[in-house]
Amino acid sequence: EPEVTQTPSHQVTQMGQEVILRCVPISNHLYFYWYRQILGQKVEFLVSFYNNEISEKSEIFDDQFSVERPDGSNFTLKIRSTKLEDSAMYFCASKGLAGQEETQYFGPGTRLLVL
Amino acid sequence: LAKTTQPISMDSYEGQEVNITCSHNNIATNDYITWYQQFPSQGPRFIIQGYKTKVTNEVASLFIPADRKSSTLSLPRVSLSDTAVYYCLVGSGGGADGLTFGKGTHLIIQP
């Protein structure tokens, strides 16, 4: 069964450093998403991406964040200058079709720890 | 976006049937009801989705009454590995809309 994959599974970085989280969505999917979950809290939507551009973003997704689909398979989230409060699990998700009944499939996540 | 209300936690025992009910009084005509399961340190996993009446798959059943103001996720014969957080989400799901997760129901299965 096709699945979303994410790398790395864990990332430790120093405050102020740039990090890039990588995702390979399910191959025939058209919509791509990033979510985060701070330890013990809810899963929060960050951004959605369709047709090579951002479709929707939350207030969390400020200028420190960017997304890119550099080739036909990868989808990346970049945090330009990490802060302590960026420590969280980051989940990538993808969805196949534009139909209402389609649902999002999540990857296993990247655990980011900012020191 | 329709607000959902579900119990914060539930306990049950192996082999039992577990029903988790979600209230969504303000559900819109074009909204679907979707349930996800999440284990610690893992991504949410899609369980089941429905619009009305009953939907069943190999994992669960979803019961939706005619007024669609609530829904019940039914897990038959649970095992210890069903211990997880279960989220009820309501939305049109169309286009690139992000999902809005609540706190979910923490289901604990005991031997």
Side-chain angles (χ1 to χ4, degrees):
Chain A
E1 184 179 322
E3 55 185 26
V4 177
T5 59
Q6 291 184 241
T7 54
S9 58
H10 295 77
Q11 173 106 38
V12 180
T13 190
Q14 295 290 325
M15 189 171 55
Q17 295 296 302
E18 174 184 284
V19 295
I20 297 177
L21 310 183
R22 291 183 167 79
C23 168
V24 178
I26 294 172
S27 64
N28 62 346
H29 280 188
L30 302 174
Y31 296 85
F32 315 111
Y33 309 81
W34 282 102
Y35 294 81
R36 79 171 186 191
Q37 186 174 31
I38 295 170
L39 187 64
Q41 298 189 24
K42 298 187 289 187
V43 176
E44 300 174 290
F45 167 72
L46 294 178
V47 66
S48 60
F49 193 87
Y50 171 71
N51 202 25
N52 285 318
E53 60 182 22
I54 290 174
S55 295
E56 184 185 350
K57 58 183 181 180
S58 72
E59 58 187 25
I60 303 169
F61 193 87
D62 61 22
D63 291 343
Q64 295 297 316
F65 292 89
S66 62
V67 289
E68 195 177 36
R69 189 156 161 80
D71 54 42
S73 60
N74 290 286
F75 179 51
T76 63
L77 174 70
K78 182 192 291 186
I79 308 175
R80 188 164 63 228
S81 177
T82 49
K83 303 188 279 267
L84 296 177
E85 54 265 37
D86 292 327
S87 295
M89 285 287 287
Y90 287 82
F91 298 110
C92 173
S94 68
K95 184 176 80 166
L97 304 173
Q100 292 178 350
E101 70 279 11
E102 271 298 310
T103 191
Q104 296 178 28
Y105 293 88
F106 286 74
T110 293
R111 182 179 295 282
L112 176 65
L113 179 60
V114 182
L115 302 177
Chain B
L1 207 64
K3 185 177 183 309
T4 60
T5 303
Q6 52 182 125
I8 292 174
S9 65
M10 292 180 68
D11 293 315
S12 188
Y13 294 91
E14 283 193 291
Q16 299 294 302
E17 178 184 82
V18 171
N19 297 309
I20 307 174
T21 296
C22 178
S23 298
H24 28 81
N25 290 317
N26 296 324
I27 190 168
T29 304
N30 59 346
D31 284 345
Y32 280 75
I33 300 154
T34 309
W35 285 80
Y36 282 84
Q37 173 193 56
Q38 187 181 29
F39 298 113
S41 299
Q42 294 188 29
R45 184 175 79 105
F46 170 78
I47 301 175
I48 198 166
Q49 184 181 66
Y51 184 80
K52 62 180 178 180
T53 63
K54 177 184 173 184
V55 180
T56 297
N57 62 22
E58 64 277 6
V59 176
S61 294
L62 179 59
F63 298 91
I64 305 168
D67 66 6
R68 303 201 326 122
K69 293 183 184 299
S70 66
S71 59
T72 299
L73 174 73
S74 181
L75 305 172
R77 296 179 300 281
V78 293
S79 63
L80 296 176
S81 62
D82 291 316
T83 294
V85 180
Y86 292 81
Y87 300 97
C88 164
L89 282 74
V90 172
S92 65
D97 291 354
L99 297 176
T100 299
F101 285 81
K103 295 184 179 179
T105 296
H106 188 191
L107 176 65
I108 299 171
I109 305 301
Q110 301 181 48

